[in-house]
Amino acid sequence: MQYPNPQIQPPGQVQMATVIGNPMPVGRPTTVLDGMQIVAGLQKVQVRELRQMVEAITGFDQRNKYIVKDEAGRDIFYAVEESNVCERNCYPADCAPWDLHIYVLGPNGLRGDLIHWLTVHRPCSCTCLCANRPVAYVTETSTDQLLGTLHDPYACCDLTFKIKDAAGNDVITGVGGCCQLGMCCPLPCGPCQHVGVELTDSM
């Protein structure tokens, strides 16, 4: 299946939800309500990176694309990275800038409407170990309103991150152990293709 590469509008210039496919019917809730309603009813999700043959053959990083599934295996969100070749392949991972655009999927999944819900913007940072750790800013696309920030604290081995609200208060902490096969020996099969992250409420 070919996955779409949506046209991205510059930050600060979006006045309404971006819809790819058929226009939204009159009376449909806003994208904020759609996305928040979906997230509020979830106990856990699965984030699956979409395989890209060019990257597998050449070894050059391509724009990452993800499908987010709920507990029943239904596709609920589609996320696509926006960055250029230099940013993906020449910058150190902790310093590289990128944007991640998150779309709400309708009943028809990727074959239907893609509603641009959130934009995650991480600017370039001069990061070295624990100094000047990167921060990503999460905004609601239709209003350009800041919803919160994602922080990547320094950890020697574990996969860690923090989510803060717009006021800077800690909301969620995520930790993934370093002894997972998906981190030690990442392969596209068996337990080596999975990485688990436990989320805890920080409030």
Side-chain angles (χ1 to χ4, degrees), residues 3-110:
Y3 294 95
N5 290 320
Q7 296 296 317
I8 307 304
Q9 301 188 38
Q13 297 184 15
V14 180
Q15 299 300 324
M16 60 183 296
T18 302
V19 180
I20 300 175
N22 297 322
M24 289 186 296
V26 175
R28 177 170 180 159
T30 65
T31 55
V32 177
L33 186 59
D34 282 348
M36 291 302 184
Q37 281 183 332
I38 294 172
V39 170
L42 297 174
Q43 295 297 318
K44 62 180 180 179
V45 297
Q46 180 187 80
V47 181
R48 178 171 296 180
E49 184 176 0
L50 301 178
R51 182 181 303 171
Q52 301 188 69
M53 191 60 66
V54 173
E55 181 175 336
I57 294 174
T58 64
F60 283 94
D61 283 344
Q62 303 294 303
R63 292 195 306 164
N64 292 321
K65 300 175 184 179
Y66 306 91
I67 288 291
V68 181
K69 296 176 177 286
D70 63 14
E71 295 175 274
R74 292 184 294 263
D75 296 346
I76 52 176
F77 299 116
Y78 170 62
V80 58
E81 174 193 350
E82 181 187 9
S83 60
N84 60 45
V85 174
C86 179
E87 291 167 344
R88 290 192 300 272
N89 294 279
C90 300
Y91 283 65
D94 283 342
C95 303
W98 46 258
D99 287 341
L100 186 70
H101 301 275
I102 301 175
Y103 296 81
V104 177
L105 298 178
N108 296 322
L110 287 166

Side-chain angles (χ1 to χ4, degrees), residues 169-182:
N169 302 309
D170 289 347
V171 178
I172 293 175
T173 299
V175 178
C178 63
C179 295
Q180 302 178 71
L181 286 176

